[in-house]
Amino acid sequence: MNNHYDLAVIGGGNAALCAAITAAELGAKVIILETAPKPYRGGNSRHTRDIRCMHRGPLGPLEGDYSEDEYYEDLLKVTGGKTNEQLARLVIRSSEKALPWMQKHGVHFQPPLSGTLSLTRTNAFFLGGGKSLINAYYRTADKLGIDVLYRAHVKHLQLKGNLIARVDYVYEGQQYQIEPSSVVVASGGFEANLEWLEKAWGPPAENFLIRGTPYNRGVVLEDLLEQGVQSVGDPTQCHAVAIDGRAPKFDGGIVTRLDCVPFSIVVNKEGQRFYDEGEDIWPKRYAIWGRLVAQQPDQVAFAIIDSKSLKMFMPSAFPPTEANTLEELAEKTGLPSEKLIDTIATFNAACGNSDAFHPTELDSVTTTGLTPEKTNWARPISEPPFYCYSLRTGVTFTYLALKIDKNAQCSTATGPVKNLWAAGETMAGSILSQGYLAGLGMMIGTVFGRIAGREAANYANG
Ligand SMILES: Cc1cc2nc3c(=O)[nH]c(=O)nc-3n(C[C@H](O)[C@H](O)[C@H](O)COP(=O)(O)OP(=O)(O)OC[C@H]3O[C@@H](n4cnc5c(N)ncnc54)[C@H](O)[C@@H]3O)c2cc1C
């Protein structure tokens, strides 16, 4: 690899491609270094379904309008106010133009989905999912003459003074170095690095499942932090949901998510309930259940429903455990029989009249005198067959990030690193310090990918 490049982009997901395409369109000679082999290119981005856009009227597949202030308010709610307002508003404002840009570069959208994730006004769904978005961008990159090297594992960016002087990577067991004029880091978080997760979370992390790519191990993030590049965020903060306990350790993707919790009771391995399953509609609550399960013994939980509720949520990739009696269910799942039967009997006794039950609205069909109470959709678990899904913590992505400014530029304590920019998960913690808003991850990568690509190309063009 002796060519000189104006820009080396580290990573091969959404943020990387948005940066590479933008820079190439401004005349830069670009290489993408992607550690995954070609069939697994695209990191977590290939698992995605939708992106959140501000709009002042119908836009592409989006209905109605969604103002900057409403979007920002939604973000404040999920982050508890802990966000960088300048960067967050920049993403929100830029999102309106990002959608047509995506369409221009090959991304197609589909009509909104219905069901538990009905987001017809706020979120645009990719036709063919994230995989087809990624494939479209790679096709565009190819047309623009961008070089892509798969299985190129970047290990070190050498920081010399206020410049990245060299990029070191391993390809087919050999070490290589290039000296591009500029670098965009878009290599994700550290969610697939189990040792790092364990350092942050302690031993429970051993039992976490990683919903996305096994390649986001935070190698470049750690390398830059060790050299004094500034960071933001807390290593224990991440997006984590409760997923099917039988999901693979890595890359299970969206099909392993379980949407049955609001219609269930959830018990830990001791057969004990621990949280209000009906606190709010599922899109507003799914992201807290990863942490709740992480706090239970062995980081496992069990959602139990009866035949009344089986068809009320999106089916999981795995069938539930089925039994005609609660004793049989306890035996099949390994739950303590006496305790489980007692927990369900106590719950059933606390349920009142459920005539107002409404699966898609907060129906206030609640328990009385129960701790923890179930504040909506509280119907007795009484009609066999009974079903059980095991739940585990599924980590989506981590929030410890490179600190950037509004131009996506990284810095050290002595000032900006002149030729280093970051985009996507690797800087998303600047906006997401806790909590999550569906569809924001892809928008952060799209907006800051384009900014980073523009800045890097302008730098290289002098
Ligand atoms: C199951 C699932 C569903 C999701 N659904 C949505 C959704 O619908 N909407 C949404 O907005 N967000 C969603 N997200 C979050 C979203 O995936 C991320 O916010 C987004 O994809 C981040 O893009 P990125 O380009 O920063 O990272 P990624 O797409 O993960 O790309 C990082 C890339 O860096 C590469 N890499 C890592 N280390 C190195 C290295 N050392 N050298 C070279 N390359 C390296 C990886 O191989 C990978 O290609 C979902 C995540 C998951 C896991």
Side-chain angles (χ1 to χ4, degrees):
M1 205 47 70
N2 293 322
N3 294 339
H4 177 76
Y5 287 99
D6 296 318
L7 169 62
V9 178
I10 319 300
N14 175 58
L17 287 155
C18 291
I21 289 169
T22 304
E25 285 180 339
L26 289 169
K29 187 163 169 49
V30 182
I31 183 167
I32 290 176
L33 299 170
E34 159 67 299
T35 191
K38 190 173 176 184
Y40 292 100
R41 68 185 182 184
N44 285 342
S45 302
R46 79 203 140 89
H47 285 298
T48 62
R49 299 190 299 173
D50 61 274
I51 192 161
R52 185 174 289 256
C53 288
M54 166 194 153
H55 51 107
R56 279 168 273 209
L59 177 71
L62 295 167
E63 297 168 359
D65 59 72
Y66 187 40
S67 71
E68 176 183 334
D69 284 343
E70 187 184 354
Y71 197 147
Y72 186 62
E73 285 298 317
D74 285 344
L75 178 63
L76 287 182
K77 272 183 229 152
V78 295
T79 56
K82 289 190 196 156
T83 186
N84 177 319
E85 180 165 0
Q86 184 196 28
L87 300 180
R89 284 195 181 270
L90 177 57
V91 168
I92 294 170
R93 241 174 263 140
S94 310
S95 69
E96 194 171 26
K97 289 214 170 107
L99 191 136
W101 184 90
M102 295 168 73
Q103 289 175 308
K104 196 171 146 216
H105 292 86
V107 178
H108 293 277
F109 292 92
Q110 65 178 43
L113 297 176
S114 59
T116 45
L117 265 187
S118 178
L119 302 161
T120 52
R121 199 168 56 83
T122 55
N123 289 44
F125 283 75
F126 316 130
L127 181 66
K131 183 96 181 170
S132 89
L133 170 143
I134 286 294
N135 288 343
Y137 283 157
Y138 273 104
R139 273 195 299 276
T140 303
D142 189 45
K143 282 189 206 135
L144 289 166
I146 294 170
D147 286 341
V148 181
L149 194 60
Y150 298 106
R151 290 179 290 120
H153 181 58
V154 177
K155 298 199 85 115
H156 179 55
L157 306 184
Q158 195 190 43
L159 179 63
K160 228 175 168 182
N162 59 6
L163 283 175
I164 296 295
R166 212 180 66 215
V167 175
D168 296 354
Y169 65 93
V170 175
Y171 176 71
E172 295 191 335
Q174 299 279 333
Q175 311 257 9
Y176 293 87
Q177 303 180 338
I178 50 171
E179 296 180 1
S181 305
S182 60
V183 177
V184 170
V185 181
S187 47
F190 68 87
E191 56 274 1
N193 185 330
L194 303 178
E195 299 78 37
W196 197 345
L197 285 182
E198 210 170 319
K199 237 190 281 167
W201 274 83
E206 220 180 285
N207 291 324
F208 294 174
L209 302 173
I210 314 306
R211 301 176 69 210
T213 179
Y215 296 102
N216 286 1
R217 296 180 47 80
V219 172
V220 179
L221 176 64
E222 188 176 24
D223 171 62
L224 290 172
L225 299 186
E226 277 172 6
Q227 294 179 80
V229 175
Q230 290 190 315
S231 69
V232 62
D234 166 356
T236 66
Q237 287 297 339
C238 61
H239 181 264
V241 302
I243 60 171
D244 196 303
R246 296 159 294 180
K249 187 75 180 171
F250 295 101
D251 247 350
I254 196 77
V255 295
T256 65
R257 208 177 91 185
L258 284 176
D259 292 339
C260 60
V261 169
F263 309 119
S264 74
I265 62 160
V266 179
V267 297
N268 61 21
K269 65 179 272 214
E270 283 146 13
Q272 181 82 44
R273 283 180 67 243
F274 52 89
Y275 199 80
D276 177 0
E277 302 87 349
E279 191 177 39
D280 206 338
I281 56 163
W282 193 230
K284 289 195 181 162
R285 276 294 163 272
Y286 78 97
I288 70 165
W289 277 85
R291 278 173 181 273
L292 290 170
V293 173
Q295 286 154 9
Q296 301 310 309
D298 290 348
Q299 294 69 54
V300 65
F302 301 84
I304 293 162
I305 56 170
D306 68 6
S307 58
K308 295 194 291 295
S309 302
L310 187 63
K311 298 267 157 68
M312 287 186 171
F313 48 90
M314 212 139 37
S316 158
F318 303 95
T321 305
E322 179 178 336
N324 285 319
T325 64
L326 292 174
E327 288 83 353
E328 188 192 345
L329 195 69
E331 194 182 319
K332 283 184 167 172
T333 53
L335 284 165
S337 182
E338 226 173 275
K339 177 66 188 168
L340 178 68
I341 290 167
D342 178 59
T343 298
I344 292 177
T346 309
F347 171 78
N348 288 353
C351 292
N353 184 331
S354 61
D355 289 352
F357 175 82
H358 196 302
T360 56
E361 284 172 16
L362 293 175
D363 61 8
S364 299
V365 172
T366 180
T367 53
T368 312
L370 188 69
T371 309
E373 59 181 339
K374 184 171 180 186
T375 49
N376 290 284
W377 311 295
R379 295 194 298 176
I381 311 278
S382 55
E383 289 176 23
F386 301 105
Y387 300 95
C388 177
Y389 291 95
S390 65
L391 300 171
R392 282 195 181 277
T393 301
V395 179
T396 317
F397 65 94
T398 48
Y399 289 174
L400 176 73
L402 296 173
K403 186 175 177 185
I404 52 138
D405 66 9
K406 66 180 174 28
N407 290 322
Q409 190 156 33
C410 301
S411 55
T412 63
T414 58
V417 182
K418 289 201 163 148
N419 62 349
L420 181 66
W421 294 268
E425 265 179 26
T426 207
M427 49 58 64
S430 305
I431 294 165
L432 285 164
S433 51
Q434 63 179 44
Y436 185 68
L437 197 57
L440 183 58
M442 288 296 278
M443 191 48 87
I444 291 173
T446 305
V447 169
F448 274 105
R450 292 178 64 202
I451 291 173
R454 179 195 73 205
E455 294 297 309
N458 288 345
Y459 176 85
N461 290 337

